[in-house]
Amino acid sequence: AVEGSKRLELFDKKKLVHLEGCQKKRVPPSDVAIIGMACLFPKAPGLQRYWENIVNKVDAITEVPKDRWDWKLYYDSNSDSRDKVCSKWGGFLDSVRFDPLKYGTPPKTLSSIEPLQLLILETVHAAITDAGYADRSFPRNETSVILGIGGGLGDLGQQYVVRSRLPMIAGKVAPEIFSQLPEWTEDSFPGILFNVNAGRVANRFNLGGVNYTVDAACASSLAALYLAVNELENETSEMVIVGGGDTLQNPFAYLCF
């Protein structure tokens, strides 16, 4: 018993020395500069308005707009009700004007592309402009794109899922039902893939670094930022466009939560 105690004490001392060694290690702060920013939030189509809303304590939460979906079909104050939601509130973006030709996108393809991909293009353009690089060169070949995007398929993707599942559920489907859903096109698959959000930015802005999305649920943007800082500290990129996007505000999302 005595010998065992001595061994235990010796082990603890070694462990303590090891821990003390770890505690002495200091990680220097990241030598990284944020040179441009942009945002798109409910009641805040840009950075200035977003800051003003914070200062003026603007409440950007509203009832679900009627042009989005009819919350009355789903709402029940009893949270235990089957296939019902107990909230009729949320944050919703106002309409955003998008010029497809500005990004070399054929207008006929827009109906097959998740709006999130288009909103990200607009926001990235605003960030590059804010950084002062709209009209001057920057190291495009060494610029990467890392985006945090989580939450599952968006509105368009879910409609495609419904279209693909209908015959399995209802058998022969009437044409008028299919007419209410988006048509399959050669642009549908890339139009709903999460990673194409980053790829489309790299393609449209001619960026040669890595491009990908990361999903860490509600921490997706933070995970993207972590990876972007690593990319810069490791000197594998000269610049990184980093951010997050989430436009999942439909009955499916409300039922999930």
Side-chain angles (χ1 to χ4, degrees), residues 10 37 44 48 86 96 101 119 126 131 149 199 201 243 257:
L10 180 62
M37 295 188 293
Q48 184 62 34
C86 56
V96 176
L101 300 182
L119 295 174
I149 300 176
V201 170
F257 279 102

Side-chain angles (χ1 to χ4, degrees), residues 55-127:
V55 172
N56 298 318
K57 301 179 181 179
V58 173
D59 184 359
I61 302 302
T62 64
E63 283 191 359
V64 179
K66 292 182 179 179
D67 61 345
R68 294 300 185 92
W69 48 278
D70 187 356
W71 59 264
K72 295 177 182 177
L73 297 174
Y74 296 91
Y75 181 79
D76 193 320
S77 58
N78 180 7
S79 60
D80 293 326
S81 297
R82 178 175 292 181
D83 296 314
K84 297 292 183 179
V85 301
C86 56
S87 173
K88 56 182 178 180
W89 307 94
F92 296 86
L93 297 176
D94 293 326
S95 296
V96 176
R97 182 177 294 277
F98 181 82
D99 179 7
L101 300 182
K102 175 181 175 182
Y103 299 100
T105 303
K108 68 176 183 179
T109 67
L110 295 184
S111 60
S112 302
I113 300 174
E114 195 71 62
L116 177 61
Q117 295 186 14
L118 311 179
L119 295 174
I120 285 178
L121 285 176
E122 283 288 289
T123 310
V124 168
H125 180 267

Side-chain angles (χ1 to χ4, degrees), residues 134-152:
D135 300 313
R136 62 190 182 98
S137 62
F138 62 95
R140 291 180 185 268
N141 286 339
E142 289 79 39
T143 297
S144 297
V145 184
I146 304 176
L147 303 176
I149 300 176

